[in-house]
């Protein structure tokens, strides 16, 4: 496969509305050529019998069964509250509604 030329990089830069110097064009041409070569090598390695994956190791969710456990009584939950009303925390009104 032929390498990426400076003219191709200049064309891409114009499409992206980037102004590149001659040094940058040469530098990016080499980098893009290396990137395309690396992608080509990966394509060669991929075989038809290898399924595509998103992770190298299989992922499984670890879940435990739900168990009912005793909780706090309303009195215990409200024990440290500065104000309470009808077994609820009482807070200052902020919206001006009843």
């Amino acid at each position: 496969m032929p390498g990426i030329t400076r003219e191709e990089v200049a064309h891409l830069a114009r499409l992206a509305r980037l102004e590149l110097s001659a040094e940058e064009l040469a530098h990016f041409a080499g980098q893009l050529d290396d990137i395309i070569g690396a992608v080509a090598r990966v394509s060669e390695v991929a075989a038809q019998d290898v399924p595509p994956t998103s992770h190298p190791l299989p992922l499984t969710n670890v879940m435990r069964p739900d168990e009912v456990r005793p909780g706090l009584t309303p009195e215990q939950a409200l024990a440290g509250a500065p104000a309470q009303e009808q077994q609820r925390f009482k807070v200052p009104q902020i919206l001006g509604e009843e």
Side-chain angles (χ1 to χ4, degrees), residues 28-82:
F28 290 143
Q31 286 185 337
L32 286 172
D33 196 38
D34 291 343
I35 291 169
I36 290 173
V39 171
R41 281 193 303 273
V42 169
S43 298
E44 292 170 3
V45 172
Q48 296 296 339
D49 60 335
V50 178
T53 59
S54 61
H55 299 283
L57 300 174
L59 299 177
T60 56
N61 286 334
V62 179
M63 299 185 153
R64 62 171 173 77
D66 288 336
E67 298 174 2
V68 178
R69 296 182 182 175
L72 297 175
T73 64
E75 293 79 22
Q76 291 171 324
L78 295 169

Side-chain angles (χ1 to χ4, degrees), residues 4 6 9 17 24 31 33 42 62 68 80 83 88 95 98:
I4 300 293
R6 290 181 64 220
V9 175
R17 296 191 172 143
E24 290 172 321
Q31 286 185 337
D33 196 38
V42 169
V62 179
V68 178
R88 293 180 281 193
L95 299 177
E98 291 277 334

